[in-house]
Amino acid sequence: MYEFAVTPAVTQIRRRGVEISEVSSGSLGAELELEPGDRILRVNGRVVRDYLDFRFQTAGETDLVLDVRRQNGEHWELNIERNEDEAFGLSFEQIVPRQCANECLFCFCKGNPETARPSLFVRDEDVRLSFLYGNYTTLTSISEDEMRRVIEQRLSPQYVSVHATDLEVRAYLLGIDKQRADITGKMRQLLDAGIEIHAQVVLCPKINDGDILHRTIYDLAKLYPHVRSVAIVPLGLTRYLNEPRLTPVTPEFCAQIVREVRAVQDDLRRRLGTTFAFLGDEIYLRAGQNVPHRNHYGDYPQIEDGIGMVRSFANEFEALVPRLSHRHRSVASASGKATFGTIMTGTLFAPVLQKLIHRMNKKFGTCLHVLAVSNDYFGGDVSVAGLLTGGDFLAARDQVIGEFAIIPRVALKSDELVMLDGMKFERLQEQFDVPLYALDFSGFANLLTTSAQTVRPSPRGRRIPAYA
Ligand code: SF4
């Protein structure tokens, strides 16, 4: 499931040019007297559609003519000479995402409750967001103009949901005809132009597993190194996605996939020197197995898709322990008490975290408790931490023990402290009796090393800033 890393202006009408949202003081933009609300229409006569265009058309240019429509309706033509490395100091409005024209069997939009935030219903299919944030596209509705743009502006890598190289199966999964589902030519065009692709397969039992999956991986492996990797992630069913053609993913299915794909991975590592086809962490965990060793993931090419996150977290945790050793002991002895609190996470990751935390508790005498929080908002087999909502954390509040509680930072939007059910983090904090933190790994490490100073009981309603 995707949500935008930035707030999409879903209701915004497209206007010419790109709007300035901020001008840094003392910058070239400020010197030119540009202001928020002004729109840049053209750079050196070329139309500007969004901030990527602006970035591309100004890069390396020292003599520039900017066509600007000011907020008050005035038109300016600015002739500029600048040093090559002199930045404009401008921030721009976010990109308005283009929408897909598919009807995927497993579309996440169909799996949302009606009350979910509007941005969760945006069916984005946008090569710009693919380049910027690693959002997957299917390439089915990409226009010639967009293809040219990807190539000209080097919007590489692109993230492409392939699902199956068998055309019939791909068309069936995407809910479109075979002609539109066929992206062989488009992929070839991008790869020939030097654009790299990371592929994705959303694995649907009885549809694109077995021989279809085997063929998909090997077809894509033939395109290595231009196709850099394939992520294989399991279908996620919520209680709202009642599609009778879909079969739920079970632990037995996951175990079988691990077995089958391991043989393929071994073969590809011998031939290509890389694992190439990576299984989602969820597949290993639901199969009741450990995630692979660090070497398996190379440079973690699909980490944005959640692949290798558990391994990466476990490794960072192991590395943290010796670093904490000296500092934490001194902090704990200075405070005269052990760190005592609750870490809330999804039911999938909780057992892994419990093991790590247990070792830490034994080593340092800390008293950290891991609380597995069920996802009632989406229901079904949704068990990852990133899809937990404010309501889910509230439902588990009574099981919190100790002097503080932590929720995963990934459960909040990246640019706004709000959860998927629309609850603001501040509002959630107010309803906990202890300080509540939203932490990523470095925030967690930070909390541990400064625990004696930071962790104090607080009355209900006190606001504590989130670690980012
Ligand atoms: S490509 Fe498929 S899954 Fe993605 S938004 Fe469109 S219909 Fe939904």
Side-chain angles (χ1 to χ4, degrees), residues 100 102-104 106-108 123 138:
C100 86
N102 303 322
E103 270 305 327
C104 296
F106 49 78
C107 180
F108 61 84
R123 297 180 173 211
T138 61

Side-chain angles (χ1 to χ4, degrees), residues 2-24:
Y2 290 127
E3 208 197 2
F4 294 100
V6 293
T7 308
V10 286
T11 53
Q12 189 175 315
I13 298 162
R14 284 209 182 97
R15 290 184 288 149
R16 289 175 61 215
V18 62
E19 184 174 308
I20 297 170
S21 59
E22 223 178 295
V23 183
S24 307

Side-chain angles (χ1 to χ4, degrees), residues 2 99-110 122-125 136-138 140 161 163 173-174:
Y2 290 127
Q99 310 270 311
C100 86
N102 303 322
E103 270 305 327
C104 296
L105 284 186
F106 49 78
C107 180
F108 61 84
C109 292
K110 299 181 203 162
V122 178
R123 297 180 173 211
D124 75 302
E125 168 92 332
Y136 275 92
T137 72
T138 61
T140 52
S161 277
H163 302 318
L173 280 167
L174 297 185

Side-chain angles (χ1 to χ4, degrees), residues 439-466:
L439 301 180
D440 60 10
F441 185 81
S442 63
F444 175 64
N446 194 13
L447 181 73
L448 288 177
T449 52
T450 57
S451 57
Q453 291 84 6
T454 314
V455 179
R456 288 185 301 273
S458 83
R460 190 188 281 255
R462 179 175 161 199
R463 291 192 214 146
I464 309 289

Side-chain angles (χ1 to χ4, degrees), residues 27 84 97 114 119 122 141 147 184 279 287 291 301 307 330 379 388 395 425:
S27 67
E84 205 171 318
E114 274 178 23
S119 58
V122 178
S141 45
M147 287 287 287
T184 327
L279 291 176
V291 294
I307 290 186
S330 59
L388 287 170
F425 182 54

Side-chain angles (χ1 to χ4, degrees), residues 41-48 57 64-67 77:
L41 306 182
R42 288 171 191 272
V43 173
N44 290 344
R46 291 193 68 182
V47 168
V48 173
Q57 286 165 23
L64 289 151
V65 180
L66 300 191
D67 234 339
E77 188 178 283

